[in-house]
Amino acid sequence: MQKERAMLWSGRIMSGLFAAFLLIASAAPKLVNARVATEPLAALGWPPAYAPMIGMVELACVILYLIPRTSIFGATLTMGLLGGAMATQIRVGNPLFSHILFSIYLGLFMWGGLWLRDPQVRAIFPWRRSMPEAA
C-alpha cells in the first residue's frame, strides 16, 4: 500500500515536471510566436509560421497525457511528436547526445512518470528482477 502510494506520487511529480517543461520551454513560446521559438525552427529548416501550429499540437499532447483516461493516447502522440523532432535533428546533422537523443530522454522521462502512476501501464511493461528460467 505504502509502496503504491509512493509510486503514484513519484509518477505524478515526474509527469508534472515533464508537462511543465514541455509547456514552458516548448509549447508556450511557439504559441505566442516568440523569437526564441521561431529562430531555432528556421535554423532547422521549418518555416517560422509553423510555430503556433506545432505549439498547439504540443499543448494537445500534454493535455491528453495529463488526463488519466487519455494518458496512454497522449503519451503515444507525444512520442510521435518527439520522433519528428529527432528526425529533424538527424536531418540537419546535430550532435547525437545533446540534440538527437534529447527526444529519447524526454520520452523515457514521460513514460517513466506514466509507468509509476498507472498500474495498467505497469501491467503492459512489467519490471522484472530476473529472467524466468526456460522450461
Side-chain angles (χ1 to χ4, degrees), residues 7-8 13 25-26 38 40 43 68 75 100 131 134:
M7 287 176 66
L8 173 65
I13 291 168
S26 189
T38 57
I100 294 172
M131 296 296 292

Side-chain angles (χ1 to χ4, degrees), residues 34-98:
R35 194 168 6 152
V36 72
T38 57
E39 286 178 0
L41 282 175
L44 292 170
W46 288 98
Y50 284 15
M53 180 182 61
I54 296 170
M56 285 187 280
V57 171
E58 290 174 343
L59 178 62
C61 288
V62 169
I63 290 170
L64 289 169
Y65 173 71
L66 291 175
I67 298 170
R69 285 194 106 130
T70 59
S71 60
I72 294 173
F73 182 55
T76 303
L77 291 176
T78 302
M79 282 310 297
L81 181 75
L82 294 173
M86 187 166 67
T88 299
Q89 297 293 339
I90 292 169
R91 185 182 57 78
V92 298
N94 276 335
L96 178 66
F97 293 104
S98 62

